[in-house]
């Protein structure tokens, strides 16, 4: 059965006034105390010492990441007080829990790359084929532990995570690295950065190929169904399916006050952990393509007291199926029983190829925003901004071998 739905869109605009954000002579003392790396912009949109930010915030720099030996962003975020990284059994996608607030699809936490949201419309998460994110191209991570909706909207109910990538100046020259680990995990990364007068170029590309890990599951959802329907289809005990192939690429070009940043996060042959329904699936694999681009003009000294920043951005994201997702293994009758009968009686004969369901989602996101800052008042700074957003779930598809014929 094939199902196609098109044209689900969402448009919003936002006007923000954040008056009287204080700054003054004491900043020099704070810089000497905290250092430049302890400035943060995620809380209010204005760079300010973390001690004065109107939120409970944390900053993790690339130096911190290197010292802790983290390989993926989830390893970094786990080190932040008040933030716990759990994993959904479906696909082992991360669940970022701020102060105990969470949901399975994690829509209440907003993740940004250079201030641009990665949220998908379909469920409100980063999609089920997230596949992690390597850390070589990350300059710093800013985190708000607590509501950030006053600045970022409803998706920031529990917290905000902003990933800031390295600039060409931070990259500086050509570098290459490689790593090999257990479960046939292989990482390779290359970087290049160069600056010529007003023009600077920086690029990163990172590859990862891993078999995941070999954790054994003693009983799964099919084990329970076997007990009810008299089948013997469960693949347990067996290992979870967490293999994946990742490609991450970043390019940044700066000229004077203009910055162009592009990125690609390509995920291939991603395993779904214990399976899409909690029944072990050794075959199913998903993929995802995320492409983003943003163009920014920023001049903090447009006039003596006025600064301006304008950004337009584009994000295209997908959640796709590489190999059939086996919801329940061959020989299973599935979770389909005749209503009202006790003991439970299966409604269908065993599925020889298993119960198959392949959901796919494709989205596009367009954003633009302009902010202005005024510094003409003593010890205060006024920020005014407006923005426009259009999101489109332009295609959804599902293939499956079960269901009731509508006719």
């Amino acid at each position: 059965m094939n199902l196609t739905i098109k044209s689900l869109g969402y448009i919003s605009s936002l006007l923000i006034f954040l008056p009287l954000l204080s700054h003054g002579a004491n900043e020099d003392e704070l810089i000497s105390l905290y250092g430049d790396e302890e400035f943060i912009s995620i809380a209010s949109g204005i760079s300010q010492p973390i001690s004065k930010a109107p939120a409970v915030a944390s900053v993790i720099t690339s130096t911190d990441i290197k010292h802790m030996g983290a390989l993926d962003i989830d390893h970094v975020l786990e080190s932040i007080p008040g933030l716990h990284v759990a994993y959904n059994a479906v696909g082992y996608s991360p669940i970022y829990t701020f102060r105990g607030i969470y949901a399975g699809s994690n829509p209440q936490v907003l993740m940004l790359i250079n201030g641009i949201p990665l949220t998908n419309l379909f469920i409100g998460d980063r999609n089920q084929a997230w596949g992690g994110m390597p850390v070589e191209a990350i300059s710093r991570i800013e985190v708000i532990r607590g509501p950030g909706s006053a600045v970022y909207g409803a998706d920031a109910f529990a917290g905000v995570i902003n990933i800031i990538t390295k600039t060409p100046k931070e990259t500086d020259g050509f570098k290459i690295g490689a790593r090999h680990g257990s479960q046939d995990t292989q990482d390779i990364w290359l970087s290049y950065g160069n600056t010529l007068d007003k023009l600077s170029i920086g690029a990163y590309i990172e590859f990862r190929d891993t078999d995941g890990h070999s954790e054994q599951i003693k009983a799964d959802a099919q084990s329970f169904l076997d007990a009810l329907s008299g089948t013997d289809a469960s693949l347990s005990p067996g290992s979870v399916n967490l293999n994946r192939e990742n490609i991450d690429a970043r390019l940044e070009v700066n000229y004077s006050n203009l910055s162009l940043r592009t990125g690609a996060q390509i995920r291939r042959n991603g395993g779904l952990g214990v399976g899409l329904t909690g029944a072990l699936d050794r075959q199913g694999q998903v993929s995802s393509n995320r492409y983003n681009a943003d163009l920014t003009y920023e001049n903090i000294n447009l006039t003596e007291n006025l600064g301006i920043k304008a950004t337009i951005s584009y994000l295209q994201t997908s959640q796709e199926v590489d190999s059939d997702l086996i919801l329940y293994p061959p020989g299973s009758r599935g979770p389909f029983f005749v209503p009202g009968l006790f003991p439970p009686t299966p409604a269908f004969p065993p599925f020889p190829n298993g119960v198959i369901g392949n959901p796919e989602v494709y989205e596009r996101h367009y954003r633009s925003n302009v902010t202005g800052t005024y510094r003409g008042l003593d010890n205060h700074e006024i920020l005014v901004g407006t923005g426009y957003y259009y999101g489109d779930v332009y295609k959804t598809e599902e293939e499956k071998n079960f269901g009731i014929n509508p006719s």
Side-chain angles (χ1 to χ4, degrees), residues 67-80:
H67 288 168
M68 70 176 65
L71 306 181
D72 187 89
I73 189 171
D74 292 344
H75 304 156
V76 180
L77 297 177
E78 185 64 67
S79 70
I80 296 176

Side-chain angles (χ1 to χ4, degrees), residues 144-290:
I144 293 178
R145 304 192 301 278
S149 297
V151 177
Y152 296 101
D155 293 331
F157 171 72
V160 182
I161 301 166
N162 186 26
I163 303 164
I164 302 173
T165 56
K166 291 179 180 177
T167 64
K169 291 183 179 180
E170 292 177 278
T171 307
D172 190 27
F174 178 81
K175 299 177 183 177
I176 184 171
R179 182 186 298 113
H180 183 80
S182 59
Q183 305 303 320
D184 201 22
T185 300
Q186 303 172 58
D187 295 337
I188 300 175
W189 67 91
L190 303 91
S191 66
Y192 173 78
N194 195 12
T195 300
L196 297 171
D197 195 18
K198 293 183 179 181
L199 177 67
S200 60
I201 300 175
Y204 272 85
I205 184 165
E206 304 176 68
F207 303 90
R208 163 164 283 200
D209 187 353
T210 180
D211 290 340
H213 59 77
S214 56
E215 179 182 354
Q216 295 288 303
I217 301 297
K218 295 181 179 179
D220 63 356
Q222 183 59 43
S223 302
F224 173 74
L225 295 177
D226 285 344
L228 292 178
S229 60
T231 55
D232 185 22
S234 175
L235 300 177
S236 63
S239 61
V240 296
N241 183 6
L242 286 177
N243 57 287
R244 67 174 185 259
E245 300 170 8
N246 292 356
I247 301 175
D248 288 75
R250 302 280 166 194
L251 172 67
E252 180 171 339
V253 180
N254 300 326
Y255 181 80
S256 188
N257 294 317
L258 280 173
S259 297
L260 173 65
R261 289 178 296 215
T262 64
Q265 294 177 287
I266 300 171
R267 306 292 181 256
R268 290 286 181 270
N269 302 319
L272 284 170
V274 294
L276 197 61
T277 59
L280 288 175
D281 176 8
R282 295 172 183 165
Q283 174 183 325
Q285 293 185 332
V286 296
S287 64
S288 175
N289 295 317
R290 282 184 290 274

